[in-house]
Amino acid sequence: MAFSGALTLSDLNDFISPSQACIKPVEVAKTSGTQGAIKVDNSGSYYEVSQDGLETKLETATINLNDCLACSGCITSAESVLVTLQSQEELYSILKQNKIAIETNDPSTHRTVVVSISPQTRASFAAKYNQTPLQVARKLTWFFKNLGVHSVFDTSFSRDLSLLETGREFVERYKKAVAKGIIKPPNMNGAASTNGTVTVAGGASGENEMDVDSLPQEISTKAPKKRIIRRGAAGANDEPAVAVETESAIPMLASACPGWICYAEKTHGYMLPYISETKSPQQIMGSMVKNHFGSQLGLNPDQIYHVCVMPCYDKKLEASRSDFYSDLYKTRDVDCVITSTEVEKMFSEQGQPDMNTFGEINLDPGYSSVIKDPTGTDQVLVGASGNASGGFLEYVMQYAARELFGIGEGIDVDKGLGVEVKTVRNADFREVTLEAPGSTNGEVLLRFAAAYGFRNIQNLVRKVKTGKSPYHFVEVMACPSGCINGGGQLKPHGDNYATIPLKEWIVQVDQQYRNGVLARKPEENPVLAQLYQEWLGGVDTPKAKQQLRTGYHAVEQNLVNPLAVKW
């Protein structure tokens, strides 16, 4: 397997490492008989020394994705995950295999190749090459199809499903937590009664919105599985006051960032019940491509090769999780993740280093967030409003206000309308509060937060652990400034790299993220209702839970020398 040449350890700004040495530095072959000793010379090379003094140099071990996930010897931000799988070389290999299959008339080895591109990647290319996001989408479609890719989609589409499902999951948890007396509902007429239950107010839908309540299956408050974890299972210092159930754990913590998930699983197992079980946009797209799209083409999941283009190296780890692997078809929902940087490297490898010279092809219909403009002659990108990490805080706040308290209008977190938005401690920690309309004493209905970067995450974890977190929902991202600043994103051109400050560059990419993109609520996506019906059989069916939600697993620590851990 080829290692990505674009993956480097330079320019780290948020790296956490409890152990500078990997717990699997060399590979030792098992031999019969007595064992010798291990010797390390001045150059750092490892040798096995037998009892008769014979020295054998040991080869450096190959660490694959599953090894990295199983190891608890290091914690990485999205900029520093070392992997030996999932690079552009893997995509080249599949495309070459397809070419041979066509030439030899052997359809058994041919696979339909699908590429799904994230909106953060579009924004990164748009900022560097001075193009609009729509132009970037068309140029990337042209580039990949010239390579032999069959379909190019947009993860903004699957993000609509992820946002809607996250909002529904939060409402489920909130109602469960109120029913169990875990949180006290606000004393608001028509929204909450004094007996600890919440009456769900019906939210008005726009003319073109999907009315979720009109779908055949009624939304249930049952979680896909009940997980009870006593904080402390991962270590004596984690002992909590009470047991925590997933279905009623508040605050609910967003799950779209695999760097954060990896950190929680390895170091804070007691946090897992709080994490949203809704799959990320990447993995929901994987489910749709391998199952729904595949069935439309009459293909099994293993006959499709699915590539996602992402701003973050940790997305490679997410795709490799066993939860997203089909034992029946021996395939993953997302076969390969390549970053924005790796895609740019592909340009040069294909002899076309300047994106501005590319042709343009309209985005494929289906799983792409495009609509016709009023003239009907061109395409317009559409996407959920909110920040460049996906807008989970913004959407869940609006959805919960409507579904729990009947506040269907007048809330816009981005513009600070209907809510109080303030920065806490630093720019990467925001707090958003929704108060009861007309309240004279400032009664809080919902208090949400966004915590970016491991420093803020660690503060959040401590508050949740001690039961002092004041929040109902938190959008958590490992990278400072969120996904738009992922470790796999592009850097400015040549000399500009030294002259443009990082913060200014992030602002430029963020502006391109929103440039020319028409804001649309997930409910307004006309294809979602059809997907729920045709693909999932309804909103709250077992198949919907299987395809849209997942679970997490505490990783048992296995440090060679725990006393040497340094934070």
Side-chain angles (χ1 to χ4, degrees):
M1 299 293 182
F3 183 81
S4 169
L7 194 56
T8 66
L9 283 174
S10 61
D11 302 323
L12 303 184
N13 60 16
D14 193 39
F15 179 67
I16 294 182
S17 176
S19 174
Q20 294 300 316
C22 179
I23 65 170
K24 192 178 178 183
V26 293
E27 185 172 13
V28 181
K30 293 183 179 180
T31 58
S32 58
T34 58
Q35 293 184 343
I38 300 295
K39 170 187 172 182
V40 183
D41 65 12
N42 293 333
S43 66
S45 299
Y46 290 78
Y47 294 84
E48 182 178 13
V49 184
S50 64
Q51 289 188 334
D52 58 7
L54 180 64
E55 297 183 359
T56 304
K57 186 175 181 179
L58 299 174
E59 296 296 328
T60 302
T62 297
I63 308 298
N64 64 26
L65 290 175
N66 290 328
D67 292 328
C68 189
L69 281 173
C71 162
S72 58
C74 61
I75 300 298
T76 62
S77 74
E79 302 169 69
S80 54
V81 179
L82 296 177
V83 294
T84 59
L85 299 176
Q86 300 195 45
S87 69
Q88 64 270 31
E89 298 298 332
E90 297 303 305
L91 174 57
Y92 290 151
S93 176
I94 295 297
L95 294 173
K96 181 178 179 180
Q97 175 183 300
N98 279 350
K99 185 177 180 180
I100 295 174
I102 294 173
E103 292 173 350
T104 59
N105 195 26
D106 182 12
S108 64
T109 60
H110 185 274
R111 299 172 75 178
T112 297
V113 181
V114 176
V115 172
S116 300
I117 302 173
S118 72
Q120 291 86 2
T121 291
R122 282 197 321 240
S124 191
F125 278 103
K128 183 165 183 176
Y129 289 93
N130 195 27
Q131 302 279 319
T132 67
L134 180 59
Q135 287 175 314
V136 169
R138 287 171 166 172
K139 288 177 180 292
L140 289 177
T141 300
W142 177 88
F143 174 76
F144 281 116
K145 290 202 171 184
N146 277 349
L147 287 180
V149 170
H150 299 90
S151 298
V152 179
F153 295 137
D154 171 17
T155 61
S156 294
F157 182 90
S158 56
R159 184 178 60 188
D160 282 348
L161 261 177
S162 186
L163 289 170
L164 184 57
E165 192 69 13
T166 301
R168 291 180 55 250
E169 183 185 359
F170 174 77
V171 169
E172 292 170 5
R173 290 199 189 201
Y174 185 94
K175 290 190 289 186
K176 277 285 187 180
V178 168
K180 292 184 176 185
I182 297 173
I183 58 176
K184 183 179 179 181
N187 185 18
M188 179 180 176
N189 292 333
S193 59
T194 58
N195 62 1
T197 61
V198 173
T199 301
V200 179
S205 298
E207 183 178 353
N208 296 321
E209 292 182 357
M210 177 183 69
D211 185 0
V212 177
D213 293 330
S214 69
L215 293 173
Q217 297 288 337
E218 191 173 292
I219 294 177
S220 168
T221 57
K222 293 182 180 179
K225 49 186 171 292
K226 180 183 288 187
R227 180 187 293 128
I228 301 178
I229 293 182
R230 290 190 176 275
R231 287 173 286 179
N237 293 332
D238 292 335
E239 189 61 39
V242 295
V244 180
E245 294 183 359
T246 301
E247 63 181 11
S248 57
I250 296 290
M252 189 173 93
L253 309 176
S255 59
C257 173
W260 145 243
I261 297 299
C262 185
Y263 172 67
E265 288 184 322
K266 290 181 179 179
T267 64
H268 299 296
Y270 63 84
M271 294 293 293
L272 302 187
Y274 296 96
I275 299 176
S276 166
E277 294 188 324
T278 299
K279 291 181 182 180
S280 71
Q282 170 181 291
Q283 293 309 133
I284 288 183
M285 180 62 84
S287 297
M288 288 194 300
V289 167
K290 286 295 183 85
N291 292 278
H292 184 254
F293 182 67
S295 65
Q296 289 182 321
L297 298 179
L299 300 174
N300 291 328
D302 59 343
Q303 294 174 297
I304 297 176
Y305 188 78
H306 184 206
V307 180
C308 281
V309 182
M310 289 286 146
C312 167
Y313 287 107
D314 277 352
K315 285 294 183 179
K316 296 172 185 279
L317 291 178
E318 181 180 34
S320 77
R321 293 175 67 92
S322 59
D323 306 86
F324 307 133
Y325 181 80
S326 169
D327 290 321
L328 176 61
Y329 292 103
K330 308 299 181 185
T331 187
R332 301 187 185 280
D333 293 339
V334 177
D335 297 285
C336 180
V337 174
I338 53 181
T339 63
S340 310
T341 303
E342 290 169 311
V343 170
E344 187 179 46
K345 184 181 179 183
M346 292 175 68
F347 296 167
S348 297
E349 292 172 345
Q350 297 302 313
Q352 298 172 315
D354 187 357
M355 187 182 191
N356 291 317
T357 64
F358 290 5
E360 295 186 18
I361 298 178
N362 275 347
L363 278 67
D364 288 321
Y367 305 144
S368 294
S369 293
V370 290
I371 59 174
K372 291 289 186 181
D373 69 6
T375 66
T377 60
D378 206 350
Q379 291 182 321
V380 176
L381 287 173
V382 292
S385 62
N387 64 62
S389 291
F392 284 86
L393 183 155
E394 290 86 350
Y395 179 73
V396 176
M397 172 67 82
Q398 293 173 347
Y399 183 91
R402 182 181 73 227
E403 298 298 319
L404 292 173
F405 308 113
I407 305 174
E409 302 293 338
I411 295 180
D412 190 321
V413 177
D414 255 359
K415 298 178 181 179
L417 299 178
V419 293
E420 179 185 358
V421 182
K422 64 179 181 180
T423 299
V424 182
R425 288 190 298 274
N426 55 66
D428 279 323
F429 198 105
R430 292 183 302 139
E431 188 176 277
V432 181
T433 305
L434 172 67
E435 295 183 355
S439 172
T440 57
N441 58 355
E443 184 172 15
V444 173
L445 300 180
L446 295 170
R447 180 173 280 118
F448 285 16
Y452 294 172
F454 278 110
R455 292 183 183 86
N456 289 323
I457 289 176
Q458 287 173 321
N459 289 331
L460 171 68
V461 166
R462 283 194 290 268
K463 286 188 175 182
V464 174
K465 175 182 175 180
T466 57
K468 296 181 180 179
S469 170
Y471 306 115
H472 297 97
F473 177 88
V474 184
E475 180 181 282
V476 186
M477 296 289 160
C479 287
S481 301
C483 295
I484 206 71
N485 186 36
Q489 291 286 72
L490 305 182
K491 300 297 186 291
H493 273 297
D495 295 337
N496 291 336
Y497 186 35
T499 59
I500 300 179
L502 178 61
K503 289 185 179 180
E504 183 179 332
W505 176 247
I506 293 173
V507 169
Q508 292 182 26
V509 179
D510 184 73
Q511 290 173 344
Q512 285 288 13
Y513 177 84
R514 306 163 190 269
N515 181 20
V517 180
L518 181 65
R520 181 182 69 180
K521 296 179 181 178
E523 298 95 316
E524 296 171 343
N525 185 336
V527 185
L528 289 195
Q530 180 181 350
L531 274 174
Y532 271 113
Q533 294 279 5
E534 293 182 357
W535 176 38
L536 304 173
V539 172
D540 194 35
T541 63
K543 186 173 182 179
K545 299 291 185 184
Q546 176 191 30
Q547 298 294 339
L548 302 181
R549 299 197 185 183
T550 185
Y552 311 102
H553 324 283
V555 177
E556 183 179 353
Q557 294 194 8
N558 187 30
L559 293 174
V560 174
N561 182 10
L563 296 178
V565 174
K566 296 180 180 180
W567 288 93

